[in-house]
Amino acid sequence: DPSLDPGWRFSVASGSRDTSLLSAQYASAGETLDYRVSASYYHTDGFKDVNDQSIARSVRLQGSYQPASGTRVDFQLSQAGGPWGRGGTGDRFDPVGEKEAREKNGNLRFTHSLNPGNEWYLQFGFSSTEESEHFSLGLLSDLLAVAPAQVPVQIPGQQDQEVISYTYDYQVNRRD
C-alpha cells in the first residue's frame, strides 16, 4: 500500500562476481490518489568460466484512485527483462550464448460499494511473456576448417562471418 510509506527509497547492494543491485522507489499518498513507482537493475557475472551472467531491468507502477466514497480503481503495470547466460562453458557442444526474456503485466480493477458488505467489481488484466535463445557457433571458416580467404571458394558468394543459431523463440499473451 503506497500510503503506508510515502516518499523516496533507494537501495544499492554489491557482492562477489560483479554482482550489483540498484533500486529506486517513489510513493505518494493523496486524498483521492495513492501510487508507487519503482525501478531496479540487477547484474551478476555468475560463476567463473561459466556463461551464467544475468542482467534484469524492471519498472512498476501501482496505485489506487478513489474519486468518490464507495468507488475505487486499483491499477498495476510492470515490465521486466534482460539477458542471461545459458550456463555453458563455451565448447562446441555447449556454445556460448544467452537467453533474452521480457515480461509485461497489468491489472485494472474497478470496485463499487453500494453499502458495507455489498460491493461488486470489474477486473481486467493482461500478461505477456517473450523469450528467445540464440548462440554463436563460431566463424564460418572455423566450422569449415579452412582459412578465412577460402570461404568464398567453398561457398560461392559467401564471406567469412559469425554463424548464429536460435534454439527457440516464443511469445505468450494472456488477457483476462
Side-chain angles (χ1 to χ4, degrees), residues 7-163:
W8 284 99
R9 296 180 70 183
F10 297 97
S11 175
V12 177
S14 67
S16 62
R17 311 299 324 154
D18 197 23
T19 299
S20 58
L21 172 64
L22 307 168
S23 65
Q25 173 182 295
Y26 179 77
S28 176
E31 289 186 31
T32 60
L33 177 65
D34 298 339
Y35 67 93
R36 176 176 36 227
V37 178
S38 60
S40 68
Y41 174 84
Y42 170 79
H43 174 266
T44 185
D45 281 345
F47 293 102
K48 187 176 180 178
D49 298 326
V50 177
N51 178 27
D52 62 347
Q53 75 282 355
S54 176
I55 296 175
R57 299 172 207 89
S58 66
V59 64
R60 181 177 180 185
L61 170 65
Q62 176 184 10
S64 179
Y65 174 63
Q66 190 166 358
S69 179
T71 302
R72 180 176 165 149
V73 178
D74 296 304
F75 55 91
Q76 179 175 305
L77 296 169
S78 66
Q79 179 174 327
W84 71 88
R86 298 180 64 246
T89 56
D91 60 27
R92 178 112 39 215
F93 300 104
D94 192 8
V96 173
E98 63 186 21
K99 301 174 186 178
E100 180 73 36
R102 290 169 296 287
E103 293 183 3
K104 297 176 185 176
N105 298 287
N107 190 23
L108 179 68
R109 179 176 173 152
F110 175 79
T111 305
H112 187 71
S113 177
L114 302 172
N115 54 50
N118 184 7
E119 67 181 28
W120 60 271
Y121 68 88
L122 180 62
Q123 182 170 315
F124 299 97
F126 75 91
S127 174
S128 174
T129 302
E130 299 176 35
E131 193 169 310
S132 64
E133 180 177 24
H134 61 277
F135 53 89
S136 171
L137 294 173
L139 293 173
L140 192 53
S141 57
D142 292 337
L143 295 171
L144 297 173
V146 298
Q150 290 298 312
V151 171
V153 174
Q154 297 290 323
I155 304 173
Q158 198 62 251
Q159 299 294 319
D160 195 20
Q161 59 187 310
E162 184 179 19
V163 178

